């Protein structure tokens, strides 16, 4: 038969339990040996007990603390004045003003730098606009045209051809119109325009150098080294040699003639009365009324040949013929 399990002993009271050892307090000493005789309980005055264990706790608040959601004490008969829309707007405006003042205070240096750049840029823009406005205004209009660099060409006729530019501001002179007017003058090889404020336009002209007159079906045509016809007359032009070239103006012989004539010194060039060439290698010159012949050969080394010719003509004047076809060996007859 199974033995019944004994019930657990009832919990001991606080007085019967071993008190928890306090820090710094020695635990009670237990008696070893036979138990002592139980003594009669001694009645203690309740006042001798630990008052700190039995005394009631003092409340933290003497009176109930005010609740946050409860309104403050307002005297009886008085109420808060309602805040109007104007007061709200005034407060908002004051806050915006204060904020703007702070922003201005912290951005003063940046605003000064920006203002400096704006003023400088505006001044430069006004200067440019003012300059352009004055330059393109009638204050700088063309009132005088001056032609320089002409020797054969009549400058008055060129100025008359350019009268259409009078009254035009100097920066607006039409170069295309000037070119169209100067094309009518065959002697003009190149030109340049120069503006002299406030009212003068200078036209610098480089004339073509005529090398002689060549006979054509229309008469004697004065041409330059490029074969450009400068003028045509029934008789050869005075002061220019007569050209006799096989193959015409587009032949290699004519190109050699032009190269030789342009290489001559000015004093010898003025004495040339005729130039003949059947090929680029047999150019021959005729000097003066006496008919002195200069055998030139081809156009190679023309500057050196011209220098040697001038020297030999000075050393041996009055000769009938000078052969400079070989620059290193000059033959005089």
């Amino acid at each position: 038969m199974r033995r019944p399990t004994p019930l657990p002993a009832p919990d001991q009271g606080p007085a019967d339990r071993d008190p928890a050892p306090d820090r710094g307090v020695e635990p009670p000493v237990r008696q070893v040996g036979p138990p002592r005789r139980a003594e009669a309980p001694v009645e203690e005055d309740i006042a001798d007990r630990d008052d700190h264990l039995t005394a009631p706790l003092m409340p933290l608040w003497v009176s109930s603390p005010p609740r946050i959601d409860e309104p403050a004490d307002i005297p009886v008969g008085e109420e808060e004045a309602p805040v109007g829309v104007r007061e709200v707007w005034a407060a908002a405006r004051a806050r915006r003003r204060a904020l703007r003042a702070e922003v201005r205070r912290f951005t003063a240096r940046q605003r000064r730098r920006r203002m400096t750049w704006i003023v400088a840029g505006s001044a430069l823009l006004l200067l440019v606009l003012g300059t352009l406005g004055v330059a393109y205004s009638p204050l700088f209009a063309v009132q005088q045209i001056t032609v320089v660099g002409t020797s054969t060409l009549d400058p008055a006729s060129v100025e008359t051809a350019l009268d259409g530019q009078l009254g035009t501001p100097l920066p607006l002179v039409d170069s295309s119109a000037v070119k169209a007017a100067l094309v009518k003058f065959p002697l003009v090889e190149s030109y340049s325009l120069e503006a002299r404020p406030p009212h003068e336009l200078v036209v610098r002209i480089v004339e073509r150098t005529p090398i002689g007159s060549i006979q054509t079906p229309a008469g004697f045509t004065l041409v330059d080294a490029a074969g450009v016809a400068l003028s045509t007359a029934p008789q050869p032009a005075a002061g220019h040699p007569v050209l006799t070239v096989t193959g015409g103006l587009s032949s290699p012989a004519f190109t050699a003639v032009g190269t030789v004539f342009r290489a001559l010194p000015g004093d010898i060039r003025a004495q040339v009365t005729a130039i003949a060439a059947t090929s680029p290698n047999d150019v021959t010159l005729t000097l003066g009324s006496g008919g002195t012949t200069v055998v030139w050969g081809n156009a190679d080394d023309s500057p050196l040949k011209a220098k040697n010719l001038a020297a030999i003509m000075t050393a041996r004047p009055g000769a009938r013929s000078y052969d400079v076809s070989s620059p290193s060996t000059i033959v005089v007859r």
Side-chain angles (χ1 to χ4, degrees), residues 180-198:
L182 295 180
V183 165
K184 301 176 182 178
F185 300 91
L187 283 175
V188 178
E189 182 176 359
S190 62
Y191 70 93
S192 62
L193 302 178
E194 178 184 348
R196 291 183 181 178

Side-chain angles (χ1 to χ4, degrees), residues 198-283:
H199 304 297
E200 185 179 4
L201 177 65
V202 178
V203 183
R204 298 186 180 276
I205 292 178
V206 177
E207 292 183 344
R208 297 183 182 275
T209 303
I211 63 172
S213 298
I214 189 170
Q215 190 172 9
T216 61
F220 288 89
T221 302
L222 186 65
V223 295
D224 68 346
V228 178
L230 306 180
S231 62
T232 301
Q235 300 297 327
H240 298 286
V242 177
L243 307 179
T244 304
V245 180
T246 302
L249 299 178
S250 60
S251 64
F254 179 81
T255 303
V257 167
T259 302
V260 171
F261 185 80
R262 292 172 68 93
L264 293 173
D267 55 344
I268 298 178
R269 186 186 302 174
Q271 301 178 37
V272 178
T273 58
I275 304 176
T278 59
S279 70
N281 299 318
D282 63 347
V283 179

Side-chain angles (χ1 to χ4, degrees), residues 3-244:
R3 183 177 295 178
T5 303
L7 296 176
D11 293 339
Q12 296 178 356
D16 298 335
R17 297 178 183 175
D18 293 335
D22 296 335
R23 184 176 299 176
V25 180
E26 297 180 358
V29 180
R30 296 183 177 271
Q31 183 179 359
V32 180
R36 295 182 180 181
R37 184 179 179 182
E39 298 179 356
V42 180
E43 294 182 1
E44 295 179 358
D45 189 2
I46 193 172
D48 296 336
R49 299 181 181 179
D50 295 335
D51 295 338
H52 64 280
L53 297 177
T54 59
L57 297 176
M58 295 297 295
L60 183 61
W61 295 90
V62 177
S63 61
S64 299
R67 296 177 59 181
I68 297 177
D69 54 352
E70 292 181 356
D73 295 338
I74 301 175
V76 179
E78 296 184 7
E79 296 182 357
E80 288 186 351
V83 179
V85 178
R86 292 184 178 180
E87 287 78 2
V88 175
W89 286 354
R93 284 195 299 270
R95 190 175 186 280
R96 286 195 296 269
R97 284 196 297 267
L99 182 59
R100 285 195 296 268
E102 288 298 315
V103 171
R104 285 194 299 269
R105 184 166 67 89
F106 283 103
T107 60
R109 184 176 180 181
Q110 181 180 1
R111 286 186 288 109
R112 285 196 299 268
R113 189 185 304 113
R114 186 186 305 148
M115 184 59 64
T116 302
W117 282 105
I118 291 175
V119 171
S122 301
L124 180 61
L125 180 60
L126 290 177
L127 178 62
V128 172
L129 293 178
T131 303
L132 293 177
V134 172
Y136 287 89
S137 68
L139 295 176
F140 287 87
V142 178
Q143 298 180 4
Q144 180 183 354
I145 298 177
T146 304
V147 178
V148 296
T150 59
S151 57
T152 305
L153 194 61
D154 182 16
S157 60
V158 177
E159 294 174 3
T160 303
L162 298 176
D163 284 346
Q165 301 301 317
L166 294 176
T168 304
L170 288 174
L172 297 180
V173 171
D174 190 356
S175 58
S176 300
V178 173
K179 181 179 180 179
L182 295 180
V183 165
K184 301 176 182 178
F185 300 91
L187 283 175
V188 178
E189 182 176 359
S190 62
Y191 70 93
S192 62
L193 302 178
E194 178 184 348
R196 291 183 181 178
H199 304 297
E200 185 179 4
L201 177 65
V202 178
V203 183
R204 298 186 180 276
I205 292 178
V206 177
E207 292 183 344
R208 297 183 182 275
T209 303
I211 63 172
S213 298
I214 189 170
Q215 190 172 9
T216 61
F220 288 89
T221 302
L222 186 65
V223 295
D224 68 346
V228 178
L230 306 180
S231 62
T232 301
Q235 300 297 327
H240 298 286
V242 177
L243 307 179
T244 304

